[in-house]
């Protein structure tokens, strides 16, 4: 028997979850007729939803021919924590992670499973071909972000990659070993390595409910990603500092020589103020960058749990 676990983080998905589950059940049945040794397990993680997502999960668990595990967090911990919890509670030889809103179509699962059967790849990842249906400004920032992070980070982070994957157990175990508190999945997948087969599909809108990501949440997530997978900002800050010191030194020499030759007319207050502000600003910026890393270290050393479970079956 081969078990496939499907990990689904859910935050206020009462309307989409039943639709998703119906489709998953259909796909699972199809796959079982083709590969008779397959078993399916759904791992639903309720990320502190305020609607009746948990009730929906409990209901689905009693009325299906797929094993359903559900766990419910004590509050909203974010998608990254839900994914981690789901992976930790999955038992499958293969584990898929997907959204509850049907933006990750379950109908791709047979194709993904088939690819893994060849033995060449350890996981199949998906990326979307278009960013249609997304506000243009968000797409623009997203593209800049991927350009930037791939420049400054050694870890390969793919533009347009979704969190929809099917992985072999060995890869899941590797991911579970990364117990960091500040999680950025796209980087973690890249970091653990393994052979990845990419398949592309068209972006589709969610079936029900609304996206949980505002522009600012995404922006903060992008900053998290940079701090988590690159130390380049620290190097850049030091370089700017060094360049400015050099410049200041040259200017001092220049001013001393000029004063010796032409005397000392008191002038240049405005430029002085400008310079003071510029330098003050740069110092604060660099301290801010340092602070970002320090804050992450602080949070990591506290060793807090990534999530807290209130209820589970
Ligand atoms: N999600 C979650 N916790 C959160 C936010 C989102 O578990 O704090 C889940 C959500 O229920 C969905 C998936 O993560 O299954 C993707 O969320 P969403 O569709 O809002 O993101 P988008 O597709 O717009 O990037
Ligand atoms: Mg979505």
């Amino acid at each position: 028997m081969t078990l496939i676990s499907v990990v689904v983080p859910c935050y206020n998905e009462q309307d989409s979850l039943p639709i998703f589950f119906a489709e998953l059940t259909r796909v699972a049945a199809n796959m079982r007729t083709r590969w008779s040794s397959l078993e399916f397990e759904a791992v639903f993680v309720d990320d502190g939803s305020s609607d009746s997502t948990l009730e929906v999960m409990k209901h689905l668990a009693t009325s299906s021919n797929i094993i359903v595990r559900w766990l419910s967090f004590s509050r909203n911990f974010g998608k990254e924590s839900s994914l981690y919890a789901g992976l930790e509670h999955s038992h499958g030889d293969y584990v898929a992670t997907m959204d509850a809103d049907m933006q990750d179509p379950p109908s791709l699962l047979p194709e993904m499973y088939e690819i893994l059967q060849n033995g060449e790849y350890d996981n199949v990842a998906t990326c979307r071909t278009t960013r249609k249906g997304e506000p243009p400004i968000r797409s623009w920032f997203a593209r800049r972000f991927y350009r930037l992070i791939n420049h400054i980070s050694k870890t390969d982070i793919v533009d347009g990659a979704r969190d929809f994957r099917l992985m072999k157990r060995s890869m899941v175990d590797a991911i579970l070993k990364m117990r960091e508190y500040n999680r950025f999945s796209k980087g973690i997948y890249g970091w653990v390595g393994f052979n990845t087969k990419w398949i592309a599909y068209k972006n589709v809108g969610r079936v029900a409910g609304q996206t949980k990501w505002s522009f600012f949440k995404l922006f903060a997530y992008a900053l998290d990603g940079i701090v988590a997978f690159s130390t380049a900002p620290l190097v850049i800050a030091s370089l700017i500092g060094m360049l400015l010191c050099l410049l200041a030194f040259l200017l001092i020499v220049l001013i001393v020589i000029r004063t010796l030759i032409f005397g000392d007319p008191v002038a240049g207050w405005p430029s002085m103020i400008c310079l003071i502000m510029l330098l003050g600003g740069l110092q604060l910026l660099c301290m801010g960058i340092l602070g970002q890393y320090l804050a992450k270290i602080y949070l990591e050393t506290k060793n807090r749990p990534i999530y807290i479970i209130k209820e589970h079956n």
Side-chain angles (χ1 to χ4, degrees), residues 279-301:
L279 291 180
L282 276 174
Q283 275 170 1
L284 278 180
L285 174 76
C286 294
M287 258 164 62
I289 294 175
L290 264 180
Q292 283 293 320
Y293 284 91
L294 202 66
K296 299 289 174 209
I297 298 170
Y298 176 59
L299 286 175
E300 292 293 348
T301 52

Side-chain angles (χ1 to χ4, degrees), residues 8-13 45 47 76-79 82 98-101 103 138 162 206 210-213 217:
V8 189
C10 305
Y11 179 47
N12 294 345
E13 302 282 6
V45 184
D47 187 8
N76 180 241
F77 278 85
K79 184 180 178 185
S82 325
M98 48 204 312
D99 291 359
D101 58 4
Q103 285 189 303
R138 191 174 291 190
R162 297 201 46 96
R206 55 160 47 239
Q210 274 174 4
T211 175
K212 314 301 181 302
W213 296 87
K217 241 175 133 179

Side-chain angles (χ1 to χ4, degrees), residues 123-161:
N123 79 113
V124 181
T126 58
C127 58
R128 47 184 176 181
T129 45
T130 59
R131 288 189 169 271
K132 238 168 95 186
E134 195 181 59
I137 176 112
R138 191 174 291 190
S139 306
W140 189 85
F141 269 101
R143 271 197 286 271
R144 293 288 89 68
F145 166 71
Y146 283 108
R147 282 277 291 275
L148 176 72
I149 192 146
N150 278 308
H151 262 301
I152 62 178
S153 169
K154 286 196 192 87
T155 308
D156 195 21
I157 294 166
V158 177
D159 186 3

Side-chain angles (χ1 to χ4, degrees), residues 38-208:
L38 276 188
E39 281 297 325
F40 282 82
E41 161 193 81
V43 184
F44 292 136
V45 184
D46 166 33
D47 187 8
S49 301
S50 53
D51 65 359
S52 49
T53 302
L54 182 59
E55 278 68 49
V56 173
M57 285 177 186
K58 287 179 181 171
H59 173 71
L60 293 178
T62 56
S63 62
S64 88
N65 47 2
I66 293 181
I67 310 164
V68 176
R69 290 177 205 287
W70 54 264
L71 26 132
S72 176
F73 287 175
S74 57
R75 64 169 170 87
N76 180 241
F77 278 85
K79 184 180 178 185
E80 293 289 346
S81 304
S82 325
L83 275 177
Y84 188 85
L87 291 181
E88 220 172 20
H89 288 82
S90 68
H91 296 76
D93 308 292
Y94 297 85
V95 182
T97 53
M98 48 204 312
D99 291 359
D101 58 4
M102 295 288 285
Q103 285 189 303
D104 302 334
S107 53
L108 279 179
L109 282 173
E111 183 188 340
M112 295 163 88
Y113 181 68
E114 200 172 2
I115 292 173
L116 291 188
Q117 291 314 293
N118 295 338
E120 189 185 342
Y121 296 103
D122 303 297
N123 79 113
V124 181
T126 58
C127 58
R128 47 184 176 181
T129 45
T130 59
R131 288 189 169 271
K132 238 168 95 186
E134 195 181 59
I137 176 112
R138 191 174 291 190
S139 306
W140 189 85
F141 269 101
R143 271 197 286 271
R144 293 288 89 68
F145 166 71
Y146 283 108
R147 282 277 291 275
L148 176 72
I149 192 146
N150 278 308
H151 262 301
I152 62 178
S153 169
K154 286 196 192 87
T155 308
D156 195 21
I157 294 166
V158 177
D159 186 3
R162 297 201 46 96
D163 285 336
F164 180 20
R165 288 186 178 241
L166 183 66
M167 299 171 271
K168 284 190 181 161
R169 188 79 234 171
S170 47
M171 178 156 175
V172 176
D173 289 340
I175 290 172
L176 287 175
K177 279 200 193 116
M178 299 183 71
R179 288 200 52 87
E180 57 214 65
Y181 181 73
N182 298 284
R183 303 187 71 77
F184 184 70
S185 297
K186 292 185 169 70
I188 290 177
Y189 291 136
W191 195 92
V192 294
F194 293 96
N195 290 340
T196 306
K197 164 86 180 171
W198 287 94
I199 55 178
Y201 68 95
K202 269 223 181 80
N203 199 25
V204 286
R206 55 160 47 239
V207 281

